[in-house]
Amino acid sequence: MEPVSDRRWVSAWSTSPVDASLSETGVLDRLGVAVTDVSARTAVQLTAGGTHVRLTLSNIFGVLPLHVAACTVAIGADDARGIDPATLHTVTFGGQTHVRIGAGTSCTSDAAALPVTAGQTLTVTVFYRGINAMRTIGLIGGRSHAELGNCTRRPLLHLAIPLQHTADSGAYEVIPALTEIDVLAAAGTHACVIFGDSTVANELPRLLAARLRADGIENVSVTQAAIKGDRLVADGVGRAAKLLGGAGVKRFGRDMLGQAGADMVLVKLGANDLIHPHCRSKQGLLTPVTFAQMTAGYRALADMAHAQGVRIWFCELTPWKGYTRNLFGRGDDIQWSPEYDALRLELNAWFRSADCPADGYIPLDALADPDDPDALFPAYTTDGVHHTPAGQRALAALIPEDIFA
């Protein structure tokens, strides 16, 4: 085994945090979801291996401190509620088994000496004690359960409550506070971050990482910085505005550039900027974006990436004909039209041009229906815009391997 000094910290899993305060006027907006004497267990699949792991817990949207009384990591069992007790490790923070995470801040743990491999399930159990107001959560990338009491050393949660919500756009896996897991990986390992919206807020990172490993590329971790409903140039609006995340140009530094060992990013973001202004539910809240506004946003991402030595690729904005956005079961929120879709085609052409500042462009036209290029291939979509498992696998197969060299 190579010495620790020859290894480096690399992000092996991540989820972008959003603000869980759902009300704009009530107690949830002022404080957050009340949490006391509760354990949250989250099982995630790592996309890189290493000799040690460390965790980042976030309270960036909190208005009160978050009290972590105990925390453990272990290799997960087949059931997301369970762990392999032989691999159980106590997680410390500055040498202490407890930590107080201040409002508006995050905390990274000490290293835990737990060997892990790419594709393996790691389970994190956190016990929150005292008065807490949980506001910072992730909504993709793991399976979480909650149970009363300190369950950090319990092999199996028996009365666990699944933290999941199912909507038209797919499943939302509520992940309390945990935003990143790093591994102490072999020298030369690096992370590729997928930054975007609901079209990549799915199993794409795990699928792409598995494909790369199968093809002999074992030094690349693939992580996630995607938020369902997110937009490139503006924050979310409407009833669930905070769950839609901040503008991509605002969160890029925290969610992408802040990840350990990340030196490349694949951006698939912008569809909601184009679609949302035409939705009935958002009339009066948004005005249509312009080509100049969108390209300025993409340029801002490229400038931030390049300033930190990160390579950046823009992915084609995929078709959405047939999408009706049945929001909260209230019926069709939008109808596709060539006029609404014109800016998407213009931006895709700009991605391919010499004027685009990205390091490359990833075409995804193979996902389109050959008989109707303005729509996705039927087997690849659930609703005209979001991807089925087959669509996710097809998208992963279209990412060129030579960019990872």
Side-chain angles (χ1 to χ4, degrees), residues 125-142:
T125 310
V126 185
F127 176 48
Y128 299 97
R129 193 169 190 175
I131 299 173
N132 293 285
M134 179 67 66
R135 286 184 65 146
T136 308
I137 62 172
L139 290 176
I140 190 68

Side-chain angles (χ1 to χ4, degrees), residues 371-393:
D371 297 325
D372 188 355
D374 294 323
L376 289 170
F377 186 67
Y380 291 165
T381 183
T382 60
D383 57 5
V385 70
H386 300 103
H387 301 300
T388 61
Q392 294 171 41
R393 291 191 296 271

